[in-house]
Amino acid sequence: MTGDDLLAAYNRGPHWCEILGGGGASSSHGDDLRTRLAGFSLTELMRRADLAERELYNLGITFTVYSERDAIDRILPFDVLPRILSADDWDTIESGSKQRVTAINAFLHDVYHEARIIKDGLIPAELVFGNPYYREQMRGVAVPHNNYVNVCGVDLVRDGQGRFKVLEDNARTPSGVSYVVENRHMMLRTFPELMEEMPIRPVSNYGQKLLEAVTDLAPAHVDDPQVVLLSPGVFNSAYFEHVFLAREMGVPLVEGNDLVVENDHVFMKTTAGLAAVHAIYRRLDDAFLDPEVFNPESLLGVPGLFGAYAKGNVGLANAVGTGCADDKAVYAYMPRIIRYYLDEEPILDNVETHICREPEGLKYTLDHLDELVIKPVGESGGYGIVIGPRASAAELDEIRAKVIDDPSNFISQPMIDLSVCPTLIDGMVEPRHVDLRPFVVTGKDTWVLPGGLTRVALRRGSLVVNSSQGGGSKDTWVLER
Amino acid sequence: MSTATKLLLARYADCAMWLGRYIERAENLARILDVNMHFSRDARGSQNWRSIVQLNADEKRFDKAYDVASYANVVNFYVLDRDNPTSIISAVRSAKENARSLRPLLSTEMWQHLNMFNNHLSTLSAEDVKPSELARVSAMIKEQCQLHTGITEGTFFRDQSWHFYLLGKRIERADQTTRLLDIKYHLLLPMDQTVGSPVDVSQWNALLRSVAGYHAFRREHPRGMSPKAVAGFLLFNSAFPRSIWTGLSEIDSNLHRLRSDFGLRAGNLAMELVDETRAALESHTPDTVVNFGLHEFSDYLQRQLNAITTEIRRDFCGFEPMTDSGMPDGQMQHQD
């Protein structure tokens, strides 16, 4: 390494680093990148970063914020320094994600049929049947290949020892995959000399893999099934991704008003009249799918769609009712769910979770309140979370009272030291915390997109990677073996 | 031909049509402003800015927002005013919003260009459109619209949506030509006695320049310039790209192609309306049009073009006719 090493002044601190590794052992999988980066000055790196951001904006790789009279396009900040995963790490992630999705699908099939797992006492009935995302209407409905979750985003973090852990499952309509592919394209255009002959596994066939999986869901007797992507429309913040996927799949992007159901069959309105639709990749939540069955106020959905689905005349990805499997309360049971259905040990661990509805979990939580992160199970988006080490005595007293009052509404987890990755910040290369969302696609079979979305918390010290909280993204390289 | 390229969502057909229309409208507005600034002066040597408001039939909305039809007010209203749906900035924004809906079918280059054009327009301020700058800004807008046209010609997949896109563009272009003929009417109405005077000729001259037709006209009419000859050229010339004759024959051809190449059965009534309008055009000569009244004939053509649009949208896209037949405001609002 020459003195020009861009990472010479980089200090990963006490954290695991995605390029350098952690502790005493340093990783070698980032060496090639470091050598190539040595040819760059910081000024040149910043210039390229600038060009890349401008290009993202011009290409309209944006999410859109609507005000009363304007549509404002924003880009997801893009960091040009890639995150690299070794072939070994990827093996763990890939097999662990597949295992998890297989177990989730077995669990969903069970809870919508015999519910053995509940009868066997492994998971409390009210956690499943009382879950707001459990859909009564799905009981006994046959789902193609018994696969309910056709697209799953498994959110992973890496702890101080370099172990990947699952933070949460996204089994409804996970988003972000368009950034994975577009970030790669952007890197190829902006840094050809970093990428040339680098043994990186490709990501650009995602659309075709997704189309295959969704096609697997069409009624078996249809020869050349018509697949469509159902979007809530241009006002949805993920509309860019819907367009991206429709283009990559080569299928029409439809809105609810473009579809109509007649005699339990789905049709789209074309200039030549009605045309049959056989499988739908829907980016619309259950509640909005069909006003006749779910939220009657929904104008985004298609009246009669659920009837056509339940009769097997149209495939839906994901299936209706998957939300009862990716909820925080059920998450805590996921290691047991994997053992129960697959008779295997989980390849990817959960973050250690204490279930307060169970006496040991409650006792541990109350005894270690000031060391733990306490989460209410019914909330999302970070609401109601108390971070023990950062809470005041009064806040700790308050949460103690709440947990004692209603233990089953809480879980607790240790603070996790998220790994870091070198990131270009104001002309310096600094460590910033990252997570990873691999995308798992399942039709008849399961396939995992090599890599996934690396989100990066651009604020110093921040562990929050969400785009609404100053998060950005990086290209994620999985090296060939 | 595979199923995938054969089928077109009705909503996409509509968006393609409006995309073509809005860009054509922005280009024509830029032409009108530019030419009014630099060529059109009345007998007293002053520019008549109100005539532009009149030719777009925008008096009511303009008078509500502005007190006088000064240069600054009219140019602001037609270039920068986001609250005016007939401004250039609104037209390009609407083009982009329709493109956003149509984006699954657009080439990346088309989308990228529209994005940049729209972003650039939104940075313009009053400083950028003051009299010394208007020519430059008009030229920029015109060129960006032409760039869009070129990118589209070279990259847009030629399925049904291409024909709907062209229908929108050609209907708007024909409509704008009728309005340009009308601007003349508005300018000259109070002083009929000056027909043929030097000022008058310079105005017809300006009219031709605004549609890039001066030299084309000279090829047909090397000498002289009578209002009748100019009107005749804009209405009947079969080689001039912005004439009514050309527009109607192109609209007819796109409708035929939709039926012959894509097997669509809709569009009967729209084609009948086009035939009827072409027959009316062919029954006239420059002399009879002027006798009939240029304003009245322009008006008739505009009504026919509106009816053709309504009929295409109804029959191919399933939209019920709008009550307000004039402006297609809010065409992007499919999500209700």
Side-chain angles (χ1 to χ4, degrees):
Chain A
M1 215 57 71
T2 67
D4 292 321
D5 184 359
L6 275 178
L7 299 188
Y10 169 81
N11 181 359
R12 70 188 168 203
H15 313 290
W16 185 276
C17 172
E18 294 295 335
I19 301 299
L20 304 181
S26 91
S27 309
S28 59
H29 69 284
D31 287 355
D32 197 3
L33 174 74
R34 289 181 69 182
T35 311
R36 292 176 185 223
L37 276 175
F40 285 84
S41 64
L42 270 172
T43 320
E44 176 61 8
L45 205 59
M46 283 163 64
R47 190 183 72 85
R48 303 263 188 115
D50 227 47
L51 288 174
E53 290 226 329
R54 203 169 322 145
E55 198 172 330
L56 286 174
Y57 189 59
N58 288 340
L59 283 170
I61 300 173
T62 47
F63 58 96
T64 308
V65 184
Y66 284 89
S67 71
E68 214 157 276
R69 59 182 208 180
D70 275 316
I72 301 151
D73 292 325
R74 301 228 167 98
I75 60 167
L76 180 65
F78 172 64
D79 184 70
V80 293
L81 294 173
R83 187 246 192 99
I84 308 181
L85 292 164
S86 68
D88 285 344
D89 279 341
W90 180 248
D91 282 351
T92 309
I93 293 169
E94 184 181 39
S95 55
S97 306
K98 277 186 180 172
Q99 180 194 49
R100 206 161 170 104
V101 169
T102 307
I104 289 174
N105 279 323
F107 170 75
L108 285 164
H109 184 263
D110 188 21
V111 301
Y112 287 118
H113 291 83
E114 302 97 67
R116 286 186 294 124
I117 195 166
I118 291 162
K119 289 173 193 149
D120 289 345
L122 245 85
I123 187 166
E126 68 266 29
L127 266 193
V128 179
F129 300 136
N131 189 302
Y133 297 106
Y134 183 83
R135 303 288 171 195
E136 276 298 317
Q137 299 88 343
M138 282 299 288
R139 271 196 204 201
V141 170
V143 165
H145 317 294
N146 290 335
N147 284 328
Y148 288 71
V149 182
N150 309 103
V151 181
C152 191
V154 182
D155 284 358
L156 301 174
V157 294
R158 192 178 233 192
D159 68 12
Q161 281 72 51
R163 291 172 306 207
F164 285 101
K165 306 215 155 178
V166 180
L167 196 59
E168 64 178 21
D169 303 289
N170 295 277
R172 281 168 278 171
T173 51
S175 64
V177 73
S178 55
Y179 294 107
V180 176
V181 180
E182 292 288 5
N183 285 353
R184 176 65 50 81
H185 290 166
M186 182 55 61
M187 284 300 288
L188 284 166
R189 280 197 298 271
T190 315
F191 292 96
E193 61 271 69
L194 284 189
M195 317 280 291
E196 199 188 346
E197 290 183 35
M198 187 74 99
I200 306 169
R201 299 190 200 185
V203 294
S204 56
N205 60 341
Y206 182 83
Q208 284 308 301
K209 288 287 188 180
L210 178 60
L211 178 62
E212 276 171 32
V214 179
T215 304
D216 284 348
L217 308 179
H221 64 272
V222 179
D223 276 344
D224 182 15
Q226 174 71 55
V227 173
V228 299
L229 187 153
L230 174 60
S231 164
V234 296
F235 296 108
N236 188 276
S237 61
Y239 180 72
F240 160 71
E241 177 153 303
H242 306 163
V243 169
F244 172 86
L245 290 172
R247 290 173 66 106
E248 293 292 311
M249 296 165 82
V251 305
L253 186 159
V254 302
E255 297 174 14
N257 286 336
D258 296 322
L259 297 181
V260 61
V261 176
E262 287 181 1
N263 300 319
D264 291 322
H265 285 80
V266 182
F267 299 90
M268 60 179 175
K269 300 174 193 166
T270 77
T271 52
L274 296 182
V277 170
H278 307 104
I280 302 175
Y281 178 42
R282 49 100 171 202
R283 294 294 297 256
L284 198 59
D285 292 342
D286 286 355
F288 298 101
L289 266 187
D290 181 349
E292 288 178 1
V293 181
F294 305 112
N295 181 358
E297 310 277 294
S298 171
L299 297 167
L300 301 173
V302 188
L305 179 57
F306 187 80
Y309 174 60
K311 287 203 162 62
N313 293 332
V314 69
L316 283 183
N318 288 347
V320 173
T322 56
C324 66
D326 73 356
D327 156 280
K328 278 197 195 70
V330 175
Y331 162 86
Y333 291 84
M334 201 53 75
R336 301 179 201 182
I337 288 173
I338 292 171
R339 290 185 199 105
Y340 180 77
Y341 292 107
L342 308 181
D343 198 21
E344 293 170 3
E345 280 304 305
I347 298 167
L348 290 168
D349 285 330
N350 265 16
V351 172
E352 178 191 345
T353 302
H354 309 282
I355 302 168
C356 297
R357 68 160 64 232
E358 298 179 349
E360 320 84 81
L362 177 62
K363 182 172 187 308
Y364 186 91
T365 301
L366 294 175
D367 288 350
H368 300 84
L369 214 51
D370 58 349
E371 300 160 23
L372 297 169
V373 178
I374 300 101
K375 299 179 173 177
V377 295
E379 305 282 348
S380 65
Y383 288 105
I385 290 181
V386 174
I387 297 172
R390 296 187 188 164
S392 67
E395 284 167 332
L396 285 175
D397 285 346
E398 191 186 337
I399 190 69
R400 179 182 299 278
K402 281 185 184 167
V403 172
I404 292 171
D405 185 51
D406 184 10
S408 62
N409 191 37
F410 292 91
I411 58 170
S412 68
Q413 296 171 334
M415 284 270 286
I416 308 184
D417 176 30
L418 261 58
S419 60
V420 294
C421 195
T423 303
L424 186 63
I425 305 280
D426 298 331
M428 307 272 281
V429 178
E430 295 191 3
R432 286 294 184 271
H433 292 291
V434 293
D435 77 347
L436 178 67
R437 173 179 290 183
F439 290 87
V440 187
V441 177
T442 308
K444 280 193 192 90
D445 310 305
T446 297
W447 172 81
V448 189
L449 175 70
L453 180 64
T454 291
R455 293 185 297 179
V456 51
L458 295 173
R459 290 184 201 147
R460 184 193 297 267
S462 170
L463 296 169
V464 187
V465 294
N466 300 64
S467 59
S468 56
Q469 315 252 359
S473 73
K474 284 170 168 288
D475 190 13
T476 307
W477 297 358
V478 177
L479 299 180
E480 300 281 4
R481 192 168 284 287
Chain B
M1 191 177 293
S2 76
T3 323
T5 54
K6 219 172 181 176
L7 292 173
L8 181 70
L9 272 191
R11 180 168 54 87
Y12 286 175
D14 196 49
C15 288
M17 200 155 81
W18 288 115
L19 171 60
R21 266 202 99 140
Y22 278 121
I23 291 292
E24 187 66 26
R25 181 172 302 166
E27 179 181 335
N28 280 280
L29 260 170
R31 288 177 179 282
I32 288 173
L33 291 175
D34 188 34
V35 92
N36 203 61
M37 175 76 193
H38 297 96
F39 298 102
S40 298
R41 285 168 198 275
D42 64 19
R44 293 174 298 280
S46 64
Q47 294 146 329
N48 184 345
W49 290 100
R50 189 163 183 85
S51 68
I52 299 181
V53 182
Q54 289 166 331
L55 93 98
N56 286 300
D58 285 332
E59 294 100 318
K60 216 185 256 172
R61 283 185 307 103
F62 181 86
D63 291 340
K64 217 174 148 192
Y66 301 87
D67 47 1
V68 288
S70 62
Y71 168 86
N73 284 348
V74 171
V75 168
N76 188 64
F77 185 67
Y78 281 117
V79 180
L80 300 178
D81 194 340
R82 287 161 191 273
D83 294 329
N84 172 19
T86 58
S87 69
I88 288 173
I89 204 161
S90 295
V92 175
R93 186 184 52 198
S94 298
K96 184 186 159 187
E97 292 313 310
N98 276 285
R100 198 194 289 280
S101 290
L102 195 63
R103 194 164 156 199
L105 301 188
L106 297 185
S107 66
T108 304
E109 287 93 329
M110 283 173 75
W111 171 250
Q112 177 170 8
H113 171 260
L114 270 174
N115 230 345
M116 292 174 72
F117 183 20
N118 186 60
N119 292 342
H120 179 47
L121 282 183
S122 62
T123 64
L124 293 183
S125 67
E127 267 298 288
D128 298 306
V129 295
K130 62 188 184 189
S132 61
E133 305 302 311
L134 188 66
R136 237 193 313 277
V137 165
S138 303
M140 180 275 287
I141 292 165
K142 204 169 66 186
E143 281 162 15
Q144 290 301 317
C145 292
Q146 291 169 333
L147 187 51
H148 161 84
T149 304
I151 293 171
T152 304
E153 198 277 334
T155 64
F156 195 29
F157 194 60
R158 304 287 173 93
D159 67 357
Q160 290 180 45
S161 55
W162 166 249
H163 293 282
F164 283 103
Y165 170 87
L166 289 180
L167 278 169
K169 183 177 203 59
R170 285 158 176 179
I171 288 170
E172 180 68 21
R173 186 179 286 176
D175 182 79
Q176 291 288 342
T177 300
T178 65
R179 288 173 195 275
L180 270 167
L181 278 170
D182 236 10
I183 198 176
K184 186 63 192 159
Y185 172 86
H186 281 290
L187 280 170
L188 288 192
L189 191 62
M191 358 173 229
D192 264 347
Q193 68 280 11
T194 62
V195 167
S197 71
V199 169
D200 183 53
V201 165
S202 84
Q203 294 191 5
W204 285 103
N205 193 319
L207 179 69
L208 280 169
R209 287 182 191 278
S210 75
V211 292
Y214 179 78
H215 294 101
F217 176 82
R218 278 288 170 239
R219 285 166 68 179
E220 294 275 323
H221 305 275
R223 276 173 295 280
M225 182 173 292
S226 71
K228 219 179 278 180
V230 175
F233 181 76
L234 292 179
L235 286 168
F236 304 114
N237 191 283
S238 62
F240 182 58
R242 313 185 92 81
S243 77
I244 302 297
W245 195 98
T246 305
L248 286 170
S249 101
E250 288 176 337
I251 292 165
D252 188 54
S253 139
N254 290 126
L255 286 169
H256 269 103
R257 291 282 300 277
L258 283 171
R259 293 163 64 92
S260 63
D261 295 5
F262 301 94
L264 301 186
R265 286 190 297 270
N268 272 324
L269 256 150
M271 295 209 313
E272 274 176 35
L273 280 165
V274 175
D275 284 347
E276 185 186 302
T277 318
R278 291 178 89 182
L281 190 67
E282 275 157 25
S283 73
H284 273 296
T285 63
D287 280 319
T288 60
V289 167
V290 170
N291 290 340
F292 177 81
L294 202 50
H295 174 65
E296 283 71 19
F297 193 63
S298 298
D299 226 35
Y300 162 78
L301 290 172
Q302 283 165 25
R303 281 197 312 274
Q304 290 294 98
L305 290 165
N306 276 337
I308 292 166
T309 307
T310 305
E311 189 45 37
I312 291 172
R313 299 187 75 219
R314 187 194 65 75
D315 212 14
F316 287 104
C317 313
F319 288 101
E320 285 314 308
M322 285 181 294
T323 42
D324 173 16
S325 63
M327 290 303 303
D329 297 354
Q331 276 322 304
M332 42 166 289
Q333 308 290 346
H334 297 298
Q335 182 109 16
D336 33 38

